[in-house]
Every structure is written in C-alpha cells, then in structure tokens.
Amino acid sequence: MFRDAALMAGKDLRIELRSRVALNQILPVAVLILLLFGFALDPDSPVLTRATPGLFWVTVLFVTVMAVERSFSLEAADGVRDALRLSGLHPGGIFLGKLAALAVQLAAVQVVLLAGVMVLFGRELAGHLLLVATAVAATAGIAAAGTLYGVLAAGLRVRETLLPLLLLPVLAPVLIAATRAFETALDGVPSDGWPWFNLLAVFALTYTGFGILAFGPLLEDS
Amino acid sequence: MTTPHSSLSSTGPSSTGSAATRTLGIVCLAAMALLVFLAFVASPRDAVQGDLVRLLYIHPALAWTAYLACFVAFGASIWHLAKRTEASDVLAHSAVEVGAVLTALTLATGSIWGRPTWGVYWVWDARLTSTAMLLLLLLGYLALHRIDAAPEVRSRRAAVVGVLLVPNVVLVHQSVEWWRTLHQDPTLARRDFDFATSDLFMFTLVYSVVVMTLVFTWLLIHRFRVGWLALQADELWLDAAIEARRSEAETEADTEPEPVASTPEGGTP
C-alpha cells in the first residue's frame, strides 16, 4: 500500500512540477487573500496583528478548496479514472498518495504564507516547535479530509459548488484548533497550545483511517 | 395506491400509514396536548426568566432529537455501506432531512430565548457555533443526495458523509470543551439551571424530551415511507416505459422485419 502511495504521490507532484498550476495560480491567490485581508482590516491597525493566526488558517482553507479541485481534475480526463481502477493499485494507497501530494503543496503554500504574515502583517514568529507541529498535524488533517471529500465530489457536474459546502464545515474543528494553537505559540505560551495539537492529531488520524477504508468503494463508482 | 411493485413491496411499506403509526400519531397528539398544558398552564413563571422559561420546555428536546437524528443517520449510513440496500439509504436520508429541520428549529428557539436573556440573537458561544456547523453538515448531506447522478452513486457518497456526521459532531463538541476551558464564557454558565427549585419544571423538561422523541419517531417513519413510495413510483415508471418500448418494438416487428433491440430512446416509427 505504501509503495502504491509513493507512486501516486510522485505522479501527482511530477504533474504539478511540470504544469506549475500550484505555483502560478494557487500560490498567488493565497498571497492575494493575505493582501485583501490587509486592505480590509487596515494595515496600521493592531487588529491585523491580533487576527493573524485566524487569517492565516482561513487563507489555508480557501487554498485547500482550490488545491483539492486541482488534485481531482487531474483524474477527470476521459478514461483516467478507469485506468486508475484497473491499475491494480491499492485504493488505500491511492488515497494516501493523493493525500501526501496535496499535503506537500499545502505545506509549500504555508511556508510562503508565514513569510507573508511576517512581512505584511508585521508578526514575529515565536514558539517554533508548536508552530511546526501544529502546521504538520493540521496539514495532514486538511489533506485527508480534502482528499476524501474531493473524491466524493469528483466527476459530478456540480463539484465546484458542492466541494466547499461539504468540506469547509468539516474543516471547522481544524480551523478552531490550529488558530488557537498558533495564537498561543505566537503569544509565547506554547504550553497552552498542545491540547489543540492533540485535537488536530486525532482529526488527522480519524480522517486518514476512514479515508483508507472508504476510498475503494468511492473510487469504484466515481 | 395501485398494486405495489412486486420486487419492492415484499420488503417495504406500501402506504404512508398503518394501524401502528396511526396509534403512535394519536399518542403523540395527546402527549403534545399534555405538554402544552404543563408548559403554559400548570408550571409557574420563573423568578428570574419569567415566561421565557417556557421556551426551555421545547428547546433542549429539539436539540436532543436533532442529535438523535444524526445517530440514526450514522447507523443507517454504515448499514448502507455494508449492505447497499435501498432501505438503509432511504432511512439515512429521512433521518438527515428530519434532523436538519430539528437543528434549524433548535437554533431558532435558542435565538428567540437568547435575545431577551443575553440581549442578542447570536453569540459566538461554543454550543451555538457547533450546532450551526451541524446544520451546515446536514445541508451538505442533503445537497449531495440531490446531485444529478446514478442513484447508487448518490446513495453511496451520501452514506460516506452520513458516517462522517457523528465523528465530526463529536470532534466539534470536544473542541468546544477545550475552547471553554481556554475562553471563559459567562453565557455557558447560565446553562447550569438549578433544577431543585421546581420539581414540576424538571418533570416538564424531561417529559418534553420524551414527547419530542415520540414525535421524531413518528416523523421519521412517515418520511421513510414517503421516500420508499417515491422509489417504488420511480420503478413503476421505469417498468411502464420498458413495457411501452417492448410493445412498440413488437408492433414494428410485425410490420417490417427489423432487429428488435435497437429502438432508440423516444424514437417514433
């Protein structure tokens, strides 16, 4: 299963490297959202500094919807899904592979966004260990839920509108937990943030486990 | 109702009522009447909340049945993923639909109670937010169940969302607990009602939960039957269409020796 996952992730990332959709479209949109928050909340006001963790994760969620769309539009071409079904790859492996490729892209976006909030919002980074741990756990959870809901909406004519409606409420716990953990890390009291990290880890494990189980039947009729 | 479809009627209902549900309906009506009497006539005004306390005879009961609906949908969805029966899909869909209405009513009654008590219709209270999120999840399920796809595809995908309903409610609820410890919210403290002050208050509260559970059961059974009959009607329509096509092909075969199976959809001779 893990060998299949590596194959799948490699395929998705190679397509991304060659097509540069993530780099040329998704990443600029993420930075654009940060700039819009700046315009809306007035760059000089302390609100922007205080709201940084929330704005950061809201931006990540918006980007996730686009990245999931992109991840499954790769498989939308004629016959690709049939080929995937006939390839003999383990469905759980396909799920993990797509999850990994999505997580790598989201992680790259987050690095740029963190640099963005440092420069644009004037926020100093503190509590590095908690920041990194939160980002890893949250990214895993977001990618797992994103991949699962991506295949749920795949192949439907209404997928662009259906995906955010299904995915964003499900990601609400991640938004809450990741925002609180970032807040405590940036405020310099990381010890308060670790329970939030635990929630993120439970979320990621739940969705990854369920995704591995459910991906086969979903792929069958997508 | 005309003759029920043979392949379906053996395992499902053929009308929306039966002696049992009619009895249940009458019991529900009588129980509701007693609840109205207890809530508006028998029980006294609250010293602090005044007549507003009467809203609490319906609001927690609505919230409880909304959660119950989610658990029914969860169970039915697992059943559907395991056995892929039509009944499990109809049951899950019915539970989610009734649950969405109950969740919306929970939010509405809560807001009506909150305006005079807290001074606002909406607070970013942990419980309110998680309930609103639950409503969105249920609406997502209903949207997915309404997509333009083959019935099996639709049902299976909706079942996956149905299974995810409960873990997500638990997760949101858990985050709520942690949220409360970090951010002390005075509005939540008011939920610790002092039940010892009035035995009748406590009795009516518990009784309302029992009544609403009965009403929920009645609604669910009827919604399930309507869903089942809709399925049956679809199958009957399909059977009629196939029959019409076949007789059309036979008359064509009588007049000219053409292959029978290649008659296109809606084709005229």
Side-chain angles (χ1 to χ4, degrees), chain B residues 22-186:
Chain B
R22 269 188 282 276
T23 313
L24 181 62
I26 291 165
V27 169
C28 283
L29 272 180
M32 284 289 259
L34 182 59
L35 180 62
V36 168
F37 172 77
L38 283 174
F40 288 100
V41 183
S43 72
R45 281 165 57 94
D46 185 73
V48 185
Q49 298 183 38
D51 280 327
L52 259 184
V53 76
R54 301 183 198 282
L55 253 181
L56 296 177
Y57 297 136
I58 191 71
H59 175 71
L62 283 170
W64 148 250
T65 41
Y67 287 132
L68 183 64
C70 288
F71 280 96
V72 172
F74 172 74
S77 297
I78 289 183
W79 177 24
H80 184 77
L81 286 179
K83 301 278 182 209
R84 301 189 181 177
T85 57
E86 284 172 331
S88 56
D89 177 53
V90 176
L91 180 62
H93 183 225
S94 311
V96 169
E97 207 169 279
V98 176
V101 173
L102 291 169
T103 311
L105 283 175
T106 307
L107 285 170
T109 51
S111 289
I112 295 169
W113 186 82
R115 180 73 177 91
T117 317
W118 299 335
V120 282
Y121 284 111
W122 185 266
V123 217
W124 286 102
D125 169 288
R127 174 112 359 119
L128 265 69
T129 315
S130 66
T131 311
M133 218 50 89
L134 178 63
L135 179 62
L136 286 173
L137 283 173
L138 293 170
L139 292 181
Y141 177 101
L142 292 176
L144 188 57
H145 208 277
R146 205 166 294 152
I147 54 170
D148 190 14
E152 314 85 62
V153 174
R154 208 175 51 193
S155 307
R156 201 167 319 153
R157 292 187 185 190
V160 170
V161 175
V163 171
L164 288 171
L165 221 54
V166 161
N168 204 74
V169 168
V170 172
L171 271 172
V172 173
H173 192 80
Q174 191 58 31
S175 73
V176 157
E177 295 294 313
W178 289 352
W179 199 350
R180 193 168 47 171
T181 54
L182 287 174
H183 292 254
Q184 196 57 42
D185 195 335

Side-chain angles (χ1 to χ4, degrees), chain A:
Chain A
M1 185 169 83
F2 292 105
R3 209 180 53 87
D4 293 351
L7 266 177
M8 196 67 199
K11 180 214 79 160
D12 271 19
L13 288 174
R14 247 193 324 276
I15 293 178
E16 261 342 299
L17 274 179
R18 287 178 192 160
S19 68
R20 305 238 162 101
V21 169
L23 188 69
N24 293 341
Q25 290 175 20
I26 295 180
L27 202 56
V29 170
V31 176
L32 182 65
I33 295 174
L34 276 194
L35 287 173
L36 289 178
F37 279 139
F39 294 146
L41 296 176
D42 184 6
D44 293 332
S45 85
V47 175
L48 208 53
T49 319
R50 248 186 306 137
T52 298
L55 298 181
F56 176 87
W57 285 106
V58 167
T59 311
V60 171
L61 288 201
F62 286 154
V63 170
T64 301
V65 174
M66 284 189 292
V68 170
E69 270 282 324
R70 167 70 186 152
S71 171
F72 282 91
S73 70
L74 293 180
E75 325 289 347
D78 279 346
V80 173
R81 255 195 301 271
D82 292 328
L84 211 55
R85 271 192 291 264
L86 294 173
S87 64
L89 293 176
H90 190 288
I94 298 177
F95 173 77
L96 282 179
K98 291 205 82 73
L99 187 165
L102 190 62
V104 167
Q105 293 171 50
L106 288 177
V109 169
Q110 285 176 33
V111 170
V112 175
L113 281 180
L114 268 182
V117 295
M118 282 173 74
V119 175
L120 298 172
F121 297 0
R123 191 81 207 228
E124 294 290 323
L125 297 188
H128 296 102
L129 183 62
L130 180 60
L131 277 188
V132 173
T134 303
V136 169
T139 307
I142 291 173
T147 309
L148 187 59
Y149 280 82
V151 73
L152 272 177
L156 304 174
R157 257 172 291 170
V158 289
R159 64 180 176 281
E160 294 92 346
T161 41
L162 190 65
L163 184 66
L165 175 65
L166 290 176
L167 186 59
L168 291 178
V170 168
L171 290 179
V174 177
L175 178 66
I176 295 170
T179 303
R180 299 292 166 223
F182 261 41
E183 251 173 25
T184 58
L186 293 178
D187 290 346
V189 276
S191 57
D192 287 351
W194 288 105
W196 295 109
F197 166 79
N198 293 342
L199 174 67
L200 291 169
V202 170
F203 185 95
L205 287 176
T206 309
Y207 274 84
T208 307
F210 185 71
I212 290 175
L213 290 178
F215 204 75
L218 286 174
L219 192 67
E220 242 171 66
D221 58 23
S222 65

Side-chain angles (χ1 to χ4, degrees), chain B residues 243-261:
Chain B
E243 197 53 47
R245 233 11 37 94
R246 193 169 287 153
S247 60
E248 204 173 84
E250 273 164 12
T251 42
E252 262 177 40
D254 285 345
T255 50
E256 47 183 314
E258 280 292 311
V260 180

